[in-house]
C-alpha cells in the first residue's frame, strides 16, 4: 500500500497545481481584455500624428532635422554608440514570452556590434534586467516600474534623455525591442528603429499645400517629431503589456490542460492498483480458507 | 462641425460642436464651422468646446490642432476633461 499512498500524494499535488494555473489563466484573461482595450485606444492618436507628419515631411525639410537625419557611419566620424531598448515583463510564467524578447534583443545587439557600434542597453522590466545582470552586462538604464501599467508619462521619461542624446549626435540610432500585439495568440518579438525617425509615407493625394500652417512646417515638425517618437515608445509599452497577458493566458491554459492529463493518468493507475490489492487480498483469504478445509 | 479631442490613451471627445476655442502656441484661436484648412501647435491651457448651448472644457498641453473639411482634430499629448463644479 506504500505505493498507492505516494500516488495519492501526487494526485493531490497535481490537483492543487491545476487550480493555480487555472486561476492564473482566468486572471490573465481579464487583464488581457483591459490591456487590449488600451491598445485599441492608442490608435486614433497614433494615426493622427502619423498622418500629420506624413503631410509635413518633405525631402528638403528632412535634412534640417537631427531626428530625421541618418548619422554618418563611425568610420567617417559619426557617433559610435547605439541604444537598444528592451521591453520585458516583470513576471514570469508566460511561456517563452520573455525568452523570445531577450533573444530578439541579443540578435539586434550582435548585429549592431558587428557593424562597429558600442551598444547602450536600456532594459525595462524585471525579466530582461535580471537576465542581463546574470550575464554581467552593464546596462545604460534599467527600470522595473513601468510595464505593468504603462502611461504616456513613462514613455516620456524613458525617451527624453535618449532623444536629447540623439539630437546631440551621441547616439547613432535607437532601437526598440518589444512584443507586437497582433492578436492574443500572435505576439512576435519585434524590433523597430525609433531614431532616426523613418517618416511615415504620405497618403495618396495628400493635401498639405492647402493648409494654413502656423507656425511654418519646419517649426511644426520640430515640435511634433518628439511627440511621434514618444508615442512609438508608448505604443510599444502598451502592446508589450497586452502581449504579456496573452502569452500568459496561453501558457497557463496549456499548463492546466497538461495537469488534467497527468491527473487522469494518475487516477487510473491509482484505481488499478487499488483493485489489484483487493483482488490479491481476496485470493489470499480464499486460498487460506481452502488450506484450512483441506 | 465635428470636433474630436484625442490623447495618447484614447479619444476623449467626439461629436458635433458649434465652436471651439483652443490655446495655440502663440495665443488663443477660435474656430467656427467651415474654417479653412488650418494647422497649428497647441500651447498649454484650456480648450473650450461649445456644444448645444453648453460648454465642455479640457485641459490640454502639447500637440496640435488641425482643421480639414469641417472636422477639427485636437491632438494633445496631455489632455483631460475639466469637470465644472456648477
Amino acid at each position: 500500500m506504500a505505493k498507492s499512498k505516494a500516488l495519492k500524494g501526487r494526485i493531490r499535488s497535481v490537483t492543487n497545481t491545476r487550480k493555480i494555473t487555472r486561476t492564473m489563466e482566468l486572471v490573465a484573461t481579464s487583464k488581457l481584455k483591459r490591456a487590449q482595450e488600451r491598445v485599441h485606444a492608442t490608435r486614433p492618436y497614433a494615426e493622427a500624428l502619423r498622418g500629420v507628419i506624413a503631410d509635413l515631411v518633405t525631402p528638403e525639410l528632412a535634412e534640417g532635422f537631427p531626428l530625421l537625419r541618418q548619422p554618418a557611419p563611425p568610420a567617417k566620424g559619426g557617433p559610435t554608440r547605439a541604444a537598444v531598448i528592451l521591453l520585458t515583463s516583470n513576471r514570469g510564467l508566460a511561456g517563452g514570452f520573455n525568452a523570445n524578447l531577450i533573444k530578439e534583443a541579443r540578435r539586434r545587439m550582435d548585429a549592431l556590434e558587428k557593424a562597429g557600434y558600442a551598444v547602450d542597453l536600456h532594459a525595462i522590466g524585471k525579466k530582461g534586467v535580471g537576465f542581463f545582470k546574470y550575464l554581467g552586462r552593464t546596462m545604460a538604464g534599467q527600470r522595473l516600474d513601468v510595464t505593468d501599467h504603462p502611461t504616456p508619462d513613462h514613455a516620456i521619461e524613458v525617451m527624453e534623455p535618449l532623444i536629447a542624446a540623439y539630437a546631440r549626435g551621441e547616439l547613432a540610432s535607437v532601437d526598440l525591442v518589444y512584443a507586437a500585439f497582433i492578436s492574443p495568440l500572435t505576439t512576435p518579438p519585434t524590433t523597430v528603429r525609433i531614431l532616426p525617425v523613418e517618416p511615415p509615407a504620405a497618403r495618396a493625394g495628400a493635401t498639405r499645400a492647402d493648409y494654413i500652417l502656423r507656425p511654418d512646417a519646419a517649426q511644426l515638425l520640430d515640435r511634433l517629431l518628439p511627440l511621434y517618437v514618444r508615442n512609438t515608445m508608448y505604443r510599444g509599452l502598451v502592446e508589450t503589456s497586452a502581449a504579456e497577458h496573452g502569452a500568459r493566458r496561453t501558457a497557463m491554459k496549456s499548463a492546466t490542460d497538461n495537469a488534467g492529463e497527468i491527473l487522469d493518468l494518475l487516477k487510473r493507475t491509482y484505481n488499478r492498483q487499488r483493485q489489484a490489492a483487493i483482488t490479491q487480498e481476496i485470493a489470499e483469504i480464499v486460498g487460506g480458507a481452502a488450506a484450512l478445509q483441506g | 462641425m465635428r470636433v474630436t479631442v484625442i490623447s495618447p490613451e484614447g479619444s476623449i471627445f467626439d461629436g458635433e460642436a458649434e465652436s471651439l476655442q483652443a490655446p495655440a502656441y502663440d495665443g488663443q484661436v477660435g474656430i467656427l464651422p467651415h474654417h479653412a484648412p488650418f494647422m497649428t501647435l497647441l500651447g498649454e491651457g484650456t480648450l473650450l468646446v461649445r456644444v448645444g448651448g453648453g460648454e465642455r472644457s479640457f485641459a490640454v498641453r502639447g500637440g496640435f490642432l488641425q482643421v480639414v473639411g469641417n472636422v477639427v482634430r485636437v491632438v494633445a499629448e496631455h489632455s483631460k476633461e475639466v469637470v465644472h463644479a456648477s
Side-chain angles (χ1 to χ4, degrees), chain A residues 38 41-42 44-45 47-49 52 55-56 149-153 156 203 207 210-215 219-220 223-224 226-227 230-231 234, chain B residues 6-11 24-29 35-43 61-64 66-68 73-78:
Chain A
R38 273 209 294 275
T42 62
Y45 181 84
E47 264 152 36
L49 212 48
V52 159
D55 285 354
L56 287 173
H149 191 110
T151 65
D153 288 332
I156 296 175
R203 287 163 298 184
T207 52
D210 305 336
Y211 279 118
I212 304 167
L213 300 177
R214 220 182 63 186
Q219 284 186 57
L220 275 168
R223 294 282 296 275
L224 295 182
L227 249 62
R230 297 198 289 246
N231 185 246
Y234 174 64
Chain B
I6 307 168
S7 85
E9 283 169 298
S11 169
Y25 73 112
D26 60 349
Q28 295 286 322
V29 289
H35 195 286
F38 172 64
M39 178 139 78
T40 191
L41 285 172
L42 288 178
R61 173 155 59 91
F64 63 91
Q66 187 191 29
V67 190
V68 199
R73 282 197 296 182
V74 180
V75 178
E77 190 166 40
H78 297 268

Side-chain angles (χ1 to χ4, degrees), chain A residues 52-231:
Chain A
V52 159
I53 289 176
D55 285 354
L56 287 173
V57 172
T58 57
E60 312 88 70
L61 218 49
E63 275 309 296
F65 285 96
L67 296 191
L68 288 170
R69 212 169 21 211
Q70 200 75 39
K76 289 188 182 155
T80 56
R81 310 193 70 78
V84 172
I85 307 171
L86 166 64
L87 304 185
T88 52
S89 70
N90 279 338
R91 287 160 214 256
L93 292 179
F97 179 74
N98 289 308
N100 288 339
L101 283 169
I102 289 168
K103 209 195 290 168
E104 173 77 16
R106 294 183 79 185
R107 197 167 337 152
R108 176 47 66 109
M109 284 155 65
D110 285 346
L112 284 169
E113 270 159 10
K114 276 215 187 81
Y117 295 106
V119 176
D120 282 0
L121 176 67
H122 297 261
I124 299 174
K126 208 189 241 169
K127 292 293 160 184
V129 169
F131 178 81
F132 284 103
K133 218 179 243 172
Y134 170 73
L135 279 193
R137 195 193 158 91
T138 46
M139 282 167 274
Q142 42 175 290
R143 296 194 63 159
L144 304 175
D145 58 331
V146 176
T147 36
D148 274 349
H149 191 110
T151 65
D153 288 332
H154 285 134
I156 296 175
E157 285 165 32
V158 173
M159 281 318 295
E160 223 38 24
L162 291 173
I163 293 178
Y166 185 84
R168 283 196 301 269
E170 290 164 17
L171 289 171
S173 64
V174 178
D175 291 324
L176 171 68
V177 179
Y178 74 108
F181 185 79
I182 296 167
S183 79
L185 294 175
T186 321
T187 58
T190 310
T191 310
V192 287
R193 175 142 291 188
I194 333 192
L195 285 171
V197 175
E198 290 248 356
R203 287 163 298 184
T207 52
R208 77 174 282 269
D210 305 336
Y211 279 118
I212 304 167
L213 300 177
R214 220 182 63 186
D216 59 14
Q219 284 186 57
L220 275 168
L221 262 188
D222 186 48
R223 294 282 296 275
L224 295 182
L225 278 175
L227 249 62
Y228 182 70
V229 173
R230 297 198 289 246
N231 185 246

